[in-house]
Amino acid sequence: MRFYGFAVAVGVLSLGACAGGEQKPADTTHVAVDTSTTTNTTTTTTPAGSSTSGAATMAPVTGATKTVNMVGDAKGYRFEPANFTIKQGAPVKFVLVSGRPPHVAFDPATIPADVKGQLDANMGTDKMGELSSNMKMNAGESITVSFGNIKPGQYPYHCTPHLALGMKGVITVQ
């Protein structure tokens, strides 16, 4: 019993020292903040003579939109169609039909380094990370990915939460 009383007394004294000890005056130092806007942009000139910014921006789309349904039902989770071919520059619209929460992601390890930044930018601002859209929660919600400025090749994609259930596919760009 004496030990508990001693422990309580030490605790009270410690708190009293913190609360009743010497207090420093509030820091009233003012810091000047530069509010001017400065943007450093690297500009390169392409052989054709046009300029491009060092940071990728969303590329414009060309051609017809390919619609892919994101489905989760008694048959499982899947993209319909999962594997398809599009022309370079075409947009792909992924629409939640049923099940949740799916999203669209590209594995950075499978995307060529010279394409990664552009594809990431082409996913827009509705993202939760690099090459990964936000989760879609309600039927009808969608994400559109532009394949503008994306070189021909195969681009595997998937839904991270449902990858183990086989929700994946490949987009072939011609």
Side-chain angles (χ1 to χ4, degrees):
M1 190 67 154
R2 287 185 186 176
F3 177 76
Y4 292 120
F6 178 73
V8 169
V10 169
V12 168
L13 289 175
S14 296
L15 287 174
C18 289
E22 181 183 341
Q23 293 184 357
K24 295 181 181 179
D27 184 6
T28 58
T29 305
H30 296 283
V31 178
V33 177
D34 181 5
T35 58
S36 65
T37 304
T38 303
T39 304
N40 294 326
T41 303
T42 304
T43 303
T44 57
T45 303
T46 62
S50 62
S51 293
T52 58
S53 173
T57 58
M58 183 179 254
V61 296
T62 58
T65 300
K66 174 69 174 177
T67 299
V68 177
N69 293 324
M70 297 185 288
V71 180
D73 58 19
K75 295 179 186 176
Y77 284 86
R78 63 198 174 278
F79 293 104
E80 291 181 343
N83 305 317
F84 55 91
T85 300
I86 60 170
K87 297 284 186 194
Q88 187 177 19
V92 178
K93 183 177 183 178
F94 295 89
V95 180
L96 174 57
V97 174
S98 59
R100 56 180 171 237
H103 78 137
V104 178
F106 296 88
D107 182 354
T110 65
I111 304 300
D114 61 338
V115 174
K116 194 180 297 184
Q118 185 65 63
L119 184 57
D120 189 55
N122 287 357
M123 293 185 76
T125 58
D126 186 23
K127 296 188 310 185
M128 67 178 181
E130 180 186 38
L131 297 170
S132 180
S133 76
N134 277 327
M135 299 288 181
K136 301 304 167 197
M137 302 303 283
N138 301 304
E141 290 183 338
S142 66
I143 176 146
T144 300
V145 179
S146 164
F147 281 82
N149 294 338
I150 301 298
K151 69 181 182 181
Q154 291 192 327
Y155 297 91
Y157 68 99
H158 62 273
C159 171
T160 304
H162 304 117
L163 181 58
L165 301 174
M167 194 169 184
K168 60 186 177 179
V170 176
I171 300 170
T172 301
V173 178
Q174 293 182 334

